[in-house]
Each structure stands twice: as C-alpha cells, then as structure tokens.
Amino acid sequence: MSSQSPRRVVSVLTLFVLVSSSLAAAAAAQTEPEAQPPTTHGVCSGPDVGGRCHSVPRALRLKLIAIPAILLASMLGVCLPLVSRSVPALRPDGDLFVVVKAFASGVILGTGYMHVLPDSFNDLSSPCLPRRPWAEFPFTAFVAMLAAVFTLMVDSLMLTFHSRGRGNKASAAVAHHGHGSPPPQVHLHGHGHLDDMSEPAASTEAVGKVEEDDVEAGRRQLLRNRVIVQVLEMGIVVHSVVIGLGMGASQNVCTIRPLVAALCFHQLFEGMGLGGCILQAEYGARMRSVLVFFFSTTTPFGIALGLALTRVYSDSSPTALIVVGLLNAASAGLLHYMALVDLLAADFMGPKLQGSVRLQLVCFPAVLLGAGGMSVMAKWA
C-alpha cells in the first residue's frame, strides 16, 4: 500500500465526520421552534420540559460519564482482535477467530436492522413532518436500497480498477522481458532426450503458473478486505455521529441513563466486528491507528457536539428529522450490504466454512447470538 493511502483515508473519514455532523447540526440548530405546517399528520410533541425525566444538571452529569465510558468501550472492542495474533487460538486462520467474526458480523447486521433502520423510519414518519410527501412514500427503504446499490458499485469498481492495473503491469513486464530475445535453442544429440527435458520444463511452468495465480488471488482478496474496512467504517462513522448528537442534546434523564450502558455494549461488539476486518486487511500500524481513532472518537465527538448545541437543538424540527432520517437510512443500507455480502456471505461461502459442516453449525448460532444481542439492546438504544 502506498504511503499516501493513510492520508487519503484520513481525509475521506474526516470529510464524512464533518459532513454528517454539519448536516445534522445545521438542520437541528434553530433559535426558535419552527411553526408546524398545517398538513402534519398526528400529534407533534417536543421535549418534555419540566417533566419528571427532564433535568439539565443530571443529564449533563450522565453525558460527562458517557463520553469516557463509550470511548474506552470502543477502543477495547476494536483493539481486541488486533492483539489476537499473540494468542494462537485467535489467529485469523483459526476456527475460533471464524466463530468470533461470525458473532461480530451478526452484531453489525443487527445494528443495521434493529437500530439504524428503525430510527430512520421513526424520523421520516414523524407527525412533525408534512404528510405530503413523507407519509405517502417509503423514503427510508428507498434511500437504504440506493445506499446498498451504491456500496456494491464502489466495491465492484475498485476491484475492477485494481485488476486492470495489475493486468497492465503484468503484460508490460512480459513484453519487456520477451522483447528482442528469441526462444532458447536446445541442441540434442541422441534419441529420447527431447521428452526427458520437455516434461520437467512443462511441470515447472505449470507450478509457476499456479503460484502466480495464488499470489494474484491473495492480492485481490487483500484489496477486497481493505475496501470492506473503509466502506464499513464510513457507515459506522455516520451513524455514530448522529446518535451521539442526539444523546448530547437530550435533557431526558430517563432516556440517557439506559442509553449510556447500551451504547457501551454496542460500541464494544461493533468494534470487535470492525477490528476483525482491520486485522484481515493487514494494514500497517499507522493505518490501524487511524481507523481505531475514528471509530473510537466519533460517538464521543457527537455527544460533545450535542452538548454544544443543547440550547439551539430541536430534535422535533422538520428539517432535523429529514436530514437525520436520510443519513440513518443511507447508513442502514450500507451496513446491510456489508454485513450480508462482504462479511457473512463471503465467510459462509468461502473454503474455510464450506470445508467443515461442524464449523458452519457453530457459526450459525454465533451470528444469531450477535444479532439477537443487538435486538435486545434496541429496547434502550
């Protein structure tokens, strides 16, 4: 990997954080509540100011606890797989690592289906929005579908460009090596020597061809693993900023208290899934540090941003609901594609699991356990 790749990834991830936080914050930050249009459906209710659960000092205390707690849980989760090489049982070629990765993939799948997608449905079907067009068209499902197709397009095009680049380099090398050099002449004396010499030469050529194919397949798989990591991180970053912003701006103690614990577990297990992907991508120490930093800090950054916008944030604002809902829908589509296609399908259809029915029967419950755990947490987060 080139030395400029970490800079490129840092730039892209920073751009995603800034764009998602800026869109959410700019849409939600309003000095006065917007006048609700007459075409809204249902009852639009804002924050329960003065209620039993509304307490600014207690909410602030919980948020200040949440920032370091979520930061530590995120770092622990994403770093655990990265230090697993020192444990023989947890190496990427071991059965236990495959089971743990299946559990973590189930967590990512559950995050998309049980956390991000319902949030988008709630936002875009809110009674605070005009009935037309938001109640007349399933925008959440539409945007999630487009995001999944866009992720497929990015995945496919990056692999295609890489393959063409490798093919051009190989062709140039062959042309350069063969230019102006005639095939070697072999002078034989006697009978039967031609067959004796041609068979070892053909065998050596076949072995060399197989080794070359294996090397190229390994390079393609490595590139695919790196594409998976970068796209998955982008989807997680968008969702993390949005959920952190909402939590940081809320003054509802009854909502924040269970959300702190739920988000710690959520970041821990989601980090394990991302960390396993980073490990398989075989990045260097600098690139790993960049990916760990962005995953660990985006949710605390969102909480801090929400704290700064507490006085002007309105989570029932139509503009805020639309922007946050669309961001969550796009993130959900991306996570669905990555979990099902690039993680679960790639592993279960790969040679490791296809060669062992017993390992498959262990990995299926691991996936269900990860997705089920995130489904239970959806009650609070």
Side-chain angles (χ1 to χ4, degrees):
M1 191 171 189
S2 66
S3 60
Q4 292 183 351
S5 292
R7 292 183 186 175
R8 225 169 18 238
V9 173
V10 169
S11 302
V12 172
L13 290 175
T14 303
L15 182 63
F16 261 78
V17 172
L18 293 177
V19 168
S20 57
S21 59
S22 299
L23 285 174
Q30 299 178 6
T31 54
E32 297 179 359
E34 291 184 4
Q36 302 302 329
T39 54
T40 54
H41 55 289
V43 179
C44 178
S45 59
D48 184 24
V49 180
R52 178 177 60 87
C53 292
H54 185 85
S55 173
V56 175
R58 285 191 295 161
L60 178 61
R61 188 162 55 249
L62 287 173
K63 293 173 202 175
L64 294 178
I65 294 173
I67 290 176
I70 293 174
L71 179 64
L72 289 176
S74 301
M75 292 183 66
L76 179 63
V78 75
C79 289
L80 274 177
L82 301 182
V83 300
S84 64
R85 285 188 182 274
S86 58
V87 182
L90 290 176
R91 287 179 179 172
D93 56 348
D95 290 350
L96 184 57
F97 180 84
V98 176
V99 176
V100 172
K101 188 183 176 187
F103 170 81
S105 300
V107 169
I108 294 174
L109 184 67
T111 299
Y113 275 107
M114 299 302 298
H115 292 254
V116 188
L117 194 63
D119 286 348
S120 179
F121 273 114
N122 290 337
D123 290 337
L124 297 182
S125 62
S126 170
C128 298
L129 294 179
R131 183 173 185 82
R132 178 174 297 180
W134 302 103
E136 298 177 352
F137 186 80
F139 282 97
T140 293
F142 180 68
V143 173
M145 176 186 69
L146 291 181
V149 173
F150 177 76
T151 307
L152 169 65
M153 182 180 69
V154 171
D155 203 357
S156 176
L157 289 176
M158 289 190 70
L159 287 173
T160 301
F161 291 149
H162 172 74
S163 300
R164 286 184 176 180
R166 291 287 181 185
N168 293 337
K169 289 180 181 178
S171 300
V174 170
H176 177 73
H177 178 72
H179 181 69
S181 56
Q185 301 294 324
V186 179
H187 300 283
L188 300 176
H189 302 282
H191 301 284
H193 292 285
L194 180 61
D195 292 337
D196 293 341
M197 294 183 66
S198 62
E199 288 182 5
S203 176
T204 303
E205 182 179 351
V207 171
K209 178 65 175 174
V210 170
E211 291 179 351
E212 183 180 343
D213 291 343
D214 290 343
V215 170
E216 182 61 25
R219 287 172 178 169
R220 287 175 61 86
Q221 185 59 46
L222 181 62
L223 175 74
R224 184 170 179 80
N225 290 338
R226 292 182 174 181
V227 172
I228 289 171
V229 169
Q230 294 174 19
V231 178
L232 181 61
E233 178 111 4
M234 291 174 191
I236 292 173
V237 159
V238 172
H239 171 59
S240 297
V241 170
V242 169
I243 195 171
L245 179 65
M247 179 181 173
S250 175
Q251 305 295 353
N252 191 318
V253 179
C254 300
T255 300
I256 297 174
R257 187 181 293 114
L259 191 59
V260 174
L263 280 179
C264 286
F265 282 103
H266 175 278
Q267 292 294 105
L268 177 68
F269 293 129
E270 194 173 53
M272 289 174 62
L274 180 63
C277 295
I278 295 173
L279 181 63
Q280 290 186 314
E282 298 182 8
Y283 280 123
R286 183 171 60 173
M287 189 64 183
R288 290 185 184 187
S289 301
V290 169
L291 295 170
V292 169
F293 171 80
F294 274 96
F295 173 76
S296 303
T297 57
T298 44
T299 301
F301 169 75
I303 296 174
L305 183 62
L307 277 170
L309 298 174
T310 298
R311 295 184 179 276
V312 294
Y313 185 92
S314 175
D315 56 1
S316 60
S317 158
T319 309
L321 289 169
I322 292 170
V323 172
V324 172
L326 293 177
L327 286 174
N328 276 332
S331 179
L334 188 153
L335 291 176
H336 293 168
Y337 174 88
M338 299 301 294
L340 288 173
V341 178
D342 282 340
L343 298 178
L344 291 173
D347 286 344
F348 278 92
M349 303 304 170
K352 181 79 172 178
L353 285 173
Q354 285 297 308
S356 173
V357 176
R358 181 185 63 83
L359 188 58
Q360 287 188 52
L361 294 178
V362 174
C363 287
F364 281 125
V367 174
L368 294 175
L369 183 63
M374 296 308 294
S375 301
V376 172
M377 290 183 195
K379 178 178 173 60
W380 300 282

